[in-house]
Coordinates of all heavy atoms in Angstrom, one line a residue:
I1 N 91.6 76.8 92.1 CA 92.3 77.5 93.2 C 93.7 77.9 92.7 O 94.2 79.0 92.9 CB 92.4 76.6 94.5 CG1 91.0 76.4 95.1 CG2 93.3 77.3 95.5 CD1 90.4 77.7 95.6
A2 N 94.4 76.9 92.1 CA 95.7 77.2 91.6 C 95.8 78.3 90.6 O 96.7 79.1 90.6 CB 96.3 75.9 91.0
S3 N 94.8 78.3 89.7 CA 94.7 79.4 88.7 C 94.5 80.8 89.3 O 95.1 81.8 88.9 CB 93.7 79.1 87.6 OG 92.4 79.2 88.2
I4 N 93.7 80.8 90.4 CA 93.4 82.1 91.1 C 94.7 82.6 91.8 O 95.0 83.7 91.7 CB 92.3 81.9 92.1 CG1 90.9 81.6 91.4 CG2 92.1 83.1 93.0 CD1 89.8 81.3 92.3
V5 N 95.3 81.7 92.5 CA 96.5 82.0 93.2 C 97.6 82.5 92.3 O 98.3 83.5 92.5 CB 97.0 80.8 94.1 CG1 98.4 81.2 94.7 CG2 96.0 80.5 95.2
K6 N 97.8 81.7 91.2 CA 98.8 82.0 90.2 C 98.5 83.4 89.6 O 99.5 84.2 89.4 CB 98.9 80.9 89.1 CG 100.0 81.1 88.1 CD 100.1 79.9 87.2 CE 101.3 80.1 86.3 NZ 101.5 78.9 85.4
H7 N 97.3 83.6 89.2 CA 96.9 84.9 88.6 C 97.3 86.1 89.5 O 97.9 87.1 89.1 CB 95.4 84.9 88.3 CG 94.9 86.2 87.7 ND1 95.3 86.7 86.5 CD2 94.1 87.1 88.3 CE1 94.7 87.9 86.3 NE2 94.0 88.2 87.4
R8 N 96.9 86.0 90.8 CA 97.1 87.1 91.7 C 98.6 87.3 92.0 O 99.0 88.4 92.0 CB 96.4 86.8 93.0 CG 94.8 86.9 92.9 CD 94.3 88.2 92.3 NE 94.7 89.3 93.1 CZ 93.9 90.2 93.6 NH1 92.6 90.0 93.5 NH2 94.3 91.3 94.3
L9 N 99.3 86.2 92.2 CA 100.8 86.4 92.4 C 101.5 86.9 91.2 O 102.4 87.7 91.3 CB 101.3 85.0 92.9 CG 100.9 84.5 94.3 CD1 101.5 83.2 94.5 CD2 101.4 85.5 95.3
T10 N 101.1 86.5 90.0 CA 101.7 86.9 88.8 C 101.5 88.4 88.6 O 102.4 89.2 88.2 CB 101.2 86.2 87.6 OG1 101.5 84.8 87.8 CG2 101.9 86.7 86.3
R11 N 100.3 88.9 89.0 CA 100.0 90.3 88.9 C 100.9 91.1 89.8 O 101.2 92.3 89.6 CB 98.5 90.6 89.3 CG 97.5 90.3 88.1 CD 96.1 90.6 88.6 NE 95.9 91.9 89.1 CZ 94.8 92.3 89.7 NH1 93.8 91.5 89.8 NH2 94.8 93.6 90.2
E12 N 101.3 90.5 90.9 CA 102.1 91.2 91.9 C 103.6 91.1 91.6 O 104.4 91.6 92.4 CB 101.9 90.6 93.3 CG 100.5 90.8 93.9 CD 100.2 92.3 94.1 OE1 101.1 93.0 94.7 OE2 99.1 92.8 93.8
G13 N 103.9 90.5 90.5 CA 105.3 90.4 90.1 C 106.1 89.2 90.4 O 107.3 89.1 90.3
F14 N 105.4 88.1 90.8 CA 106.0 86.8 91.2 C 106.0 85.9 90.0 O 105.1 86.0 89.1 CB 105.3 86.2 92.3 CG 105.4 86.9 93.6 CD1 104.4 87.8 94.0 CD2 106.5 86.8 94.5 CE1 104.4 88.5 95.2 CE2 106.6 87.5 95.6 CZ 105.5 88.4 96.0
E15 N 107.0 85.0 89.9 CA 107.0 83.9 88.9 C 106.5 82.7 89.6 O 107.2 82.2 90.5 CB 108.5 83.8 88.4 CG 108.6 82.7 87.4 CD 110.1 82.5 87.0 OE1 110.8 83.5 86.9 OE2 110.5 81.4 86.8
V16 N 105.4 82.2 89.2 CA 104.8 81.0 89.9 C 104.9 79.7 89.1 O 104.6 79.7 87.9 CB 103.2 81.3 90.1 CG1 102.6 80.2 90.9 CG2 103.1 82.6 90.9
H17 N 105.3 78.7 89.7 CA 105.4 77.4 89.1 C 104.5 76.5 89.8 O 104.6 76.3 91.1 CB 106.9 76.8 89.2 CG 107.9 77.6 88.4 ND1 109.1 77.1 88.1 CD2 107.8 78.9 88.0 CE1 109.8 78.0 87.4 NE2 109.0 79.1 87.3
H18 N 103.6 75.8 89.1 CA 102.5 75.0 89.7 C 102.8 73.5 89.6 O 103.1 73.0 88.5 CB 101.2 75.4 89.0 CG 100.0 74.5 89.5 ND1 99.1 73.9 88.6 CD2 99.7 74.1 90.7 CE1 98.3 73.2 89.3 NE2 98.5 73.3 90.6
A19 N 102.6 72.8 90.7 CA 102.7 71.4 90.7 C 101.3 70.8 91.1 O 100.7 71.3 92.1 CB 103.7 70.9 91.7
P20 N 100.7 69.8 90.4 CA 99.4 69.3 90.7 C 99.4 68.3 91.9 O 98.3 67.8 92.3 CB 99.0 68.7 89.4 CG 100.2 68.3 88.8 CD 101.3 69.3 89.2
D21 N 100.6 67.8 92.3 CA 100.6 66.9 93.4 C 101.9 67.0 94.2 O 102.8 67.7 93.8 CB 100.4 65.4 92.9 CG 101.5 65.1 91.9 OD1 102.7 65.0 92.2 OD2 101.1 64.8 90.7
G22 N 102.0 66.3 95.3 CA 103.1 66.4 96.2 C 104.4 65.9 95.6 O 105.5 66.4 95.8
E23 N 104.3 64.8 94.8 CA 105.5 64.2 94.2 C 106.1 65.2 93.2 O 107.3 65.3 93.1 CB 105.1 62.9 93.5 CG 106.3 62.2 92.9 CD 105.9 60.8 92.3 OE1 104.9 60.8 91.5 OE2 106.6 59.8 92.5
E24 N 105.2 65.8 92.3 CA 105.7 66.7 91.3 C 106.3 67.9 92.0 O 107.4 68.5 91.6 CB 104.6 67.1 90.4 CG 105.0 68.2 89.3 CD 106.0 67.7 88.3 OE1 106.3 66.4 88.3 OE2 106.5 68.5 87.5
A25 N 105.7 68.4 93.1 CA 106.2 69.6 93.8 C 107.6 69.3 94.4 O 108.5 70.1 94.3 CB 105.3 70.0 94.9
L26 N 107.8 68.1 94.9 CA 109.1 67.7 95.4 C 110.2 67.7 94.3 O 111.3 68.1 94.5 CB 109.0 66.4 96.2 CG 110.3 65.9 96.9 CD1 110.7 66.9 98.0 CD2 110.1 64.5 97.5
R27 N 109.8 67.1 93.2 CA 110.7 67.0 92.1 C 111.1 68.4 91.6 O 112.3 68.7 91.4 CB 110.1 66.3 90.9 CG 111.0 66.1 89.7 CD 110.3 65.7 88.5 NE 109.4 66.8 88.0 CZ 109.9 67.8 87.3 NH1 111.2 68.0 87.1 NH2 109.1 68.8 86.9
M28 N 110.2 69.4 91.5 CA 110.4 70.7 91.1 C 111.3 71.4 92.2 O 112.2 72.2 91.8 CB 109.1 71.5 90.9 CG 108.3 71.0 89.7 SD 106.6 71.7 89.6 CE 107.0 73.4 89.4
A29 N 111.1 71.2 93.4 CA 111.9 71.8 94.5 C 113.3 71.3 94.4 O 114.3 72.1 94.7 CB 111.3 71.4 95.9
K30 N 113.5 70.0 94.0 CA 114.9 69.5 93.9 C 115.7 70.0 92.7 O 116.9 70.1 92.8 CB 114.8 68.0 93.9 CG 114.4 67.3 95.2 CD 114.4 65.8 95.0 CE 114.0 65.1 96.3 NZ 113.9 63.6 96.2
T31 N 114.9 70.4 91.7 CA 115.6 70.8 90.4 C 115.6 72.3 90.3 O 116.2 72.9 89.4 CB 114.9 70.2 89.2 OG1 113.5 70.6 89.2 CG2 115.0 68.7 89.2
G32 N 114.9 73.1 91.2 CA 114.9 74.5 91.1 C 115.0 75.1 92.5 O 115.1 74.4 93.5
T33 N 115.1 76.5 92.5 CA 115.2 77.2 93.7 C 114.0 78.2 93.8 O 113.8 78.9 92.9 CB 116.5 78.0 93.8 OG1 117.6 77.1 93.7 CG2 116.6 78.7 95.2
Y34 N 113.3 78.2 95.0 CA 112.2 79.0 95.1 C 112.3 79.9 96.4 O 112.8 79.4 97.4 CB 110.9 78.1 95.2 CG 110.6 77.4 93.9 CD1 111.2 76.1 93.7 CD2 109.9 78.0 92.9 CE1 111.0 75.4 92.5 CE2 109.7 77.3 91.7 CZ 110.3 76.0 91.5 OH 110.1 75.4 90.3
S35 N 111.7 81.1 96.3 CA 111.7 82.0 97.4 C 110.6 81.7 98.4 O 110.7 82.1 99.6 CB 111.6 83.4 96.9 OG 112.6 83.8 96.0
L36 N 109.6 81.0 98.0 CA 108.4 80.7 98.8 C 107.7 79.5 98.2 O 107.7 79.2 97.0 CB 107.4 81.9 98.7 CG 106.0 81.7 99.3 CD1 106.1 81.7 100.8 CD2 105.1 82.9 98.9
V37 N 107.1 78.7 99.2 CA 106.4 77.5 98.8 C 105.0 77.7 99.4 O 104.8 77.9 100.6 CB 107.0 76.2 99.3 CG1 106.1 75.0 98.9 CG2 108.4 76.0 98.8
I38 N 103.9 77.5 98.5 CA 102.5 77.5 99.0 C 102.0 76.1 98.6 O 102.0 75.7 97.5 CB 101.7 78.6 98.3 CG1 102.3 80.0 98.6 CG2 100.3 78.6 98.7 CD1 101.6 81.1 97.8
L39 N 101.4 75.4 99.6 CA 100.9 74.1 99.3 C 99.6 73.8 100.0 O 99.3 74.3 101.1 CB 102.0 73.1 99.7 CG 102.6 73.1 101.1 CD1 101.8 72.3 102.1 CD2 104.0 72.6 101.1
D40 N 98.8 72.9 99.4 CA 97.6 72.4 99.9 C 98.0 71.2 100.8 O 99.1 70.6 100.7 CB 96.7 72.0 98.8 CG 95.3 71.7 99.3 OD1 95.0 72.0 100.5 OD2 94.4 71.2 98.5
V41 N 97.0 70.7 101.6 CA 97.3 69.5 102.4 C 96.8 68.3 101.7 O 97.6 67.3 101.5 CB 96.6 69.6 103.8 CG1 96.7 68.3 104.5 CG2 97.2 70.7 104.6
K42 N 95.6 68.3 101.2 CA 95.1 67.1 100.5 C 95.5 67.2 99.0 O 95.0 67.9 98.2 CB 93.5 67.2 100.5 CG 93.0 67.0 101.9 CD 91.4 66.9 101.9 CE 90.9 66.7 103.3 NZ 89.4 66.7 103.2
M43 N 96.5 66.3 98.7 CA 97.0 66.2 97.4 C 97.3 64.7 97.0 O 97.6 63.9 97.9 CB 98.3 67.0 97.2 CG 98.1 68.5 97.3 SD 99.7 69.4 96.9 CE 100.7 68.9 98.3

């Protein structure tokens, strides 16, 4: 799912950073700035 989403968003001109779990996503959010967050519930 992540590869499909990343592929489509990249084609549309977005820079996508992928985190495989909630902890890594939070770490990335704290160290970077993002215009949008897309997340799954079960992680």
